[in-house]
Amino acid sequence: MGPGPVNAHPRVLRAMSADLLGQFDPEMTGYMNQVMELYRPVFGTENRWTMLVDGTARAAIEASLISLVTPGDTVLVVDFGRFGLLLQEILQRIGAKIEVVSVPWGEVVPLDAVAAAIERTGPKVVATVHGDTSTTMAQPLEGLGDLCRAAGALSYVDATATLGGMEIAADRWGVDIVTGGLQKCLGGPSGSAPITISDRAAEHIFARRHTEAGIRMAGLDDGSGPRIPSNYFDLAMIMDYWSEKRLNHHTEATSMLYAARECARVALGEGLDARFARHAAAGRAMTVGLRAMGLTVFGDDAHRMTNVTGVHIPDGVDGEAVRSMMREEFEIEIGTAFGPLQGRVWRIGAMGYNAMKHKVLITLGALEACLRREGFSLPAGEAVEAAMTAWEA
Amino acid sequence: MGPGPVNAHPRVLRAMSADLLGQFDPEMTGYMNQVMELYRPVFGTENRWTMLVDGTARAAIEASLISLVTPGDTVLVVDFGRFGLLLQEILQRIGAKIEVVSVPWGEVVPLDAVAAAIERTGPKVVATVHGDTSTTMAQPLEGLGDLCRAAGALSYVDATATLGGMEIAADRWGVDIVTGGLQKCLGGPSGSAPITISDRAAEHIFARRHTEAGIRMAGLDDGSGPRIPSNYFDLAMIMDYWSEKRLNHHTEATSMLYAARECARVALGEGLDARFARHAAAGRAMTVGLRAMGLTVFGDDAHRMTNVTGVHIPDGVDGEAVRSMMREEFEIEIGTAFGPLQGRVWRIGAMGYNAMKHKVLITLGALEACLRREGFSLPAGEAVEAAMTAWEA
């Protein structure tokens, strides 16, 4: 019950036991095409270029930024937590000129502040996180695409922590690239990162296409733009690999592709709306339960992620001792925190296969027991009862 | 029975069905430490820094080169096939000054030619492939490290296609970084790439350490060298993540780590010498069998990889029709070829879990049947019989 990675869905674990296939075997390329089809609704998009990057969620972030941004380009980062810092860190290495619009941890950036920052900085690319687990806040993105397009900017969204748990509306938001991971709300393992790319962004990236010597083929021209300074993260080559051209690039990570496919099948089988409602119920029950225990929930209620809840460690309680007791006595992991929140809050997840009523209730009951052991005085039994009621609300 | 990916070992497939763990859970970090221990003998090394890169084999190649090479550095590439071209392609994107010592496909580069090229070009780094599946040749590497160290150069070896199937002797060869993949001789899926790094190379890389803002910690100084232009592939950060510091970087790909761990456990359980002998028997039986069928094996017998065999498509036979018939009638995949060999040779693998007597014999029998169907005249039954004898030789 941490902020991810979390327990995987048993169907996803079983899917990885299937034997491997050659990477150009028609059965394998058929699965690749299914993955493209399955992830479009998950991302809320009709984008043709919807596929996987073979690496962890961070790999897809870097692939997106290195393929969109040319050294010297101005990039505006919407920064409201640790993963906004990560976007800047990656962009520094790419050689971007970085501008930032930021807020204190626990808040989100108002759209008019983003608009003003775009006006002020004239970025080529605007990059933001959707849900930042470091602060448990979800940045509203409705209208971001219009702002960016009006300013001639491309847009990138890191939805690692929300994909499959909160609505991702790539097309309605009008954003150009959105990436995710399996290990949060999709209930799978880290190591494969779904991505969707708008036609507009794809055109921009194909203008930087430089096909490897030795696998060039007729009808596939190199672009006039500057070469992307990574082979592995060159989205032009990755798109060519996932296209009907099947131009050889990396060897697709077969077992992880099976996992990614099964994650999406489980999510669509449940129904995305039902899934978002389940995560919302879990987040609501967790928040209500923690408050009924007398604890203070961290951050702004209006923009809380549904799938991870920050809660202040009460005065006089040793946060790490409680985490250890939770792990050792109850086999339940809860998360510590980063940066300004380190030692001040725990982060308790309820995402993917863990966003279930019984898991929320058991976690609250266990936390209550651990806090009592640590000498924290609380109204016994109320957290679980309040959470049961709140789940149905 | 292609040049990889191939069928995985059933124990590796089952290992991926284990549920996930938090990335800093003591059970998880214990598995990470086991992986470091298990891969040292696989790489023939005592290197402390022996771990995994979270991506396909190509990811580890790029991580090695981008962490070793600074833009403008001279790099000498030992080029004897398609994967030598890939090294150059990756180095171009890094901004290296590339020098090449090459031979026609089907040959290897003599050590004295490497020595002369080092003398001529004064490289900072020498990069080579060990076994290049595109040509089925294995480059001899005995003595390479001494040459490089005498010239003050660091060395990199891509052992993707041989790790776990032919001897890798990182320490005896004296080379600095060696990387591999699971999907060839280790009998696992693509998506996790074992790597070993000498202390000398680690020191060079740590001099380029630039820790992410927000996770800096006491006692961990940034280096004075130029920043590595990738976050995901920054081996300094990856080493810090695998060290007892456990400095957060990517979220370790848990299921792939389970797979990598099981691949090494299976390999060490069999015994590396027994494993190399099994691959050698498979390669010998395949070669003898193909010749007994009247076919011409591609390339130089003295430097053949044991785990993949190139064979000329006979005149008048439609190579792709035979490959399709093998796949459709017998459920056996054999490989096509790249570049100058495209349409001229098939590449038949016998690696990892597929380097087994019955699989070699069945493949030869099936190929014989397909060739007969295609009208190729051959001495019926001799291939399988010759291969049975050769296996025991």
Side-chain angles (χ1 to χ4, degrees), chain A residues 225-246:
Chain A
R227 187 185 289 256
I228 293 167
S230 167
N231 174 287
Y232 195 71
F233 289 140
D234 183 326
L235 289 179
M237 292 205 286
I238 295 173
M239 290 188 278
D240 285 336
Y241 179 64
W242 283 76
S243 78
E244 67 287 347
K245 294 185 197 93
R246 297 288 167 208

Side-chain angles (χ1 to χ4, degrees), chain A residues 173-392:
Chain A
W173 295 341
V175 295
D176 290 303
I177 301 190
V178 186
T179 66
L182 307 184
Q183 76 274 19
K184 308 275 186 181
C185 299
L186 282 166
S190 169
S192 176
I195 185 171
T196 190
I197 303 170
S198 72
D199 287 348
R200 184 167 163 259
E203 194 181 322
H204 175 84
I205 294 165
F206 279 135
R208 301 178 69 183
R209 178 196 270 137
H210 285 78
T211 309
E212 280 173 46
I215 57 166
R216 292 212 182 91
M217 59 190 287
L220 196 70
D221 294 331
D222 275 357
S224 57
R227 187 185 289 256
I228 293 167
S230 167
N231 174 287
Y232 195 71
F233 289 140
D234 183 326
L235 289 179
M237 292 205 286
I238 295 173
M239 290 188 278
D240 285 336
Y241 179 64
W242 283 76
S243 78
E244 67 287 347
K245 294 185 197 93
R246 297 288 167 208
L247 207 58
N248 190 253
H249 185 242
H250 63 284
T251 298
E252 186 57 21
T254 319
S255 305
M256 287 305 307
L257 179 130
Y258 295 162
R261 173 175 173 271
E262 198 65 11
C263 284
R265 279 159 48 92
V266 168
L268 298 177
E270 176 178 4
L272 290 172
D273 287 343
R275 195 170 176 93
F276 302 150
R278 176 165 62 81
H279 280 82
R284 189 169 60 236
M286 188 69 83
T287 306
V288 166
L290 292 166
R291 286 183 171 142
M293 221 181 282
L295 301 177
T296 304
V297 173
F298 173 78
D300 170 7
D301 266 346
H303 299 108
R304 194 175 298 295
M305 292 168 70
T306 57
N307 56 302
V308 59
T309 306
V311 59
H312 286 274
I313 300 167
D315 288 343
V317 168
D318 178 344
E320 286 306 291
V322 170
R323 290 212 316 130
S324 294
M325 204 187 302
M326 288 286 285
R327 174 68 175 89
E328 283 161 24
E329 303 292 332
F330 294 92
E331 293 277 345
I332 296 172
E333 179 185 342
I334 63 171
T336 179
F338 291 109
L341 302 184
Q342 193 165 18
R344 290 179 51 213
V345 309
W346 296 303
R347 295 176 303 147
I348 308 182
M351 51 179 77
Y353 191 62
N354 282 358
M356 292 214 267
K357 192 197 278 183
H358 71 281
K359 295 197 180 193
V360 171
L361 300 179
I362 289 167
T363 301
L364 288 166
L367 184 60
E368 177 176 319
C370 293
L371 283 169
R372 286 166 63 102
R373 275 274 170 141
E374 281 290 295
F376 179 71
S377 156
L378 50 71
E382 293 200 6
V384 171
E385 196 175 340
M388 288 173 82
T389 307
W391 184 282
E392 307 299 346

Side-chain angles (χ1 to χ4, degrees), chain A residues 17 25 62 93 230 327, chain B residues 17 25 62 93 230 234 327:
Chain A
S17 295
D25 187 293
E62 185 159 324
R93 292 175 188 244
S230 167
R327 174 68 175 89
Chain B
S17 294
D25 187 292
E62 187 161 322
R93 292 178 188 241
S230 167
D234 183 325
R327 174 67 173 91

Side-chain angles (χ1 to χ4, degrees), chain B residues 36 199 242 300 327 385:
Chain B
M36 298 180 88
D199 286 346
W242 283 76
D300 169 7
R327 174 67 173 91
E385 196 176 339

Side-chain angles (χ1 to χ4, degrees), chain B residues 79-91:
Chain B
D79 172 5
F80 58 101
R82 185 195 159 198
F83 292 96
L85 292 175
L86 177 61
L87 298 180
Q88 294 168 59
E89 145 80 21
I90 293 170
L91 286 162

Side-chain angles (χ1 to χ4, degrees), chain B residues 74-393:
Chain B
T74 297
V75 181
L76 175 66
V77 175
V78 178
D79 172 5
F80 58 101
R82 185 195 159 198
F83 292 96
L85 292 175
L86 177 61
L87 298 180
Q88 294 168 59
E89 145 80 21
I90 293 170
L91 286 162
Q92 267 184 324
R93 292 178 188 241
I94 293 170
K97 183 170 175 297
I98 302 168
E99 299 282 352
V100 180
V101 53
S102 66
V103 288
W105 285 33
E107 298 176 22
V108 296
V109 183
L111 196 64
D112 55 7
V114 177
I118 290 175
E119 174 94 11
R120 177 173 55 81
T121 62
K124 290 262 182 77
V125 175
V126 176
T128 184
V129 176
H130 181 219
D132 194 319
T133 52
S134 72
T135 72
T136 73
M137 292 295 109
Q139 173 69 34
L141 296 174
E142 210 75 56
L144 179 69
D146 282 347
L147 281 182
C148 292
R149 289 181 188 220
L154 292 158
S155 51
Y156 166 74
V157 176
D158 169 13
T160 303
T162 50
L163 189 70
M166 293 179 73
E167 189 196 16
I168 304 298
D171 287 359
R172 202 182 67 235
W173 296 342
V175 295
D176 290 301
I177 301 191
V178 185
T179 67
L182 307 184
Q183 76 274 19
K184 309 276 186 181
C185 299
L186 282 166
S190 167
S192 177
I195 184 171
T196 191
I197 303 169
S198 72
D199 286 346
R200 182 167 164 257
E203 193 180 326
H204 175 83
I205 294 166
F206 279 134
R208 301 178 70 182
R209 179 197 269 140
H210 285 77
T211 309
E212 281 174 46
I215 56 166
R216 291 210 182 93
M217 60 190 289
L220 196 70
D221 294 331
D222 276 358
S224 57
R227 186 185 289 258
I228 293 167
S230 167
N231 173 289
Y232 195 72
F233 290 140
D234 183 325
L235 289 179
M237 292 206 285
I238 296 173
M239 288 187 280
D240 285 335
Y241 180 63
W242 283 76
S243 78
E244 67 287 347
K245 296 186 196 91
R246 297 289 169 208
L247 207 58
N248 189 253
H249 185 242
H250 64 283
T251 297
E252 186 57 22
T254 319
S255 306
M256 289 305 308
L257 179 130
Y258 294 162
R261 173 175 173 271
E262 198 65 13
C263 283
R265 279 159 48 92
V266 168
L268 298 178
E270 177 177 4
L272 289 172
D273 287 343
R275 196 169 176 94
F276 302 151
R278 176 165 62 82
H279 281 83
R284 187 172 61 235
M286 187 70 82
T287 307
V288 166
L290 291 166
R291 285 181 172 142
M293 223 180 281
L295 301 177
T296 305
V297 173
F298 173 79
D300 169 7
D301 266 345
H303 299 107
R304 193 175 298 295
M305 292 167 69
T306 55
N307 57 304
V308 58
T309 306
V311 58
H312 286 273
I313 300 166
D315 289 343
V317 168
D318 178 343
E320 286 306 291
V322 169
R323 288 213 318 131
S324 294
M325 203 186 305
M326 288 288 284
R327 174 67 173 91
E328 282 160 24
E329 304 292 332
F330 294 92
E331 294 277 347
I332 296 170
E333 179 184 341
I334 62 170
T336 178
F338 290 109
L341 302 183
Q342 193 164 21
R344 291 179 50 213
V345 310
W346 296 303
R347 294 176 303 147
I348 309 182
M351 51 179 77
Y353 191 63
N354 283 358
M356 293 214 265
K357 191 197 277 186
H358 70 280
K359 294 196 180 194
V360 171
L361 300 179
I362 288 168
T363 301
L364 288 166
L367 183 62
E368 176 175 319
C370 293
L371 283 168
R372 286 167 64 102
R373 274 275 170 138
E374 281 289 296
F376 180 71
S377 155
L378 50 72
E382 295 202 4
V384 171
E385 196 176 339
M388 287 174 81
T389 307
W391 184 282
E392 308 300 345

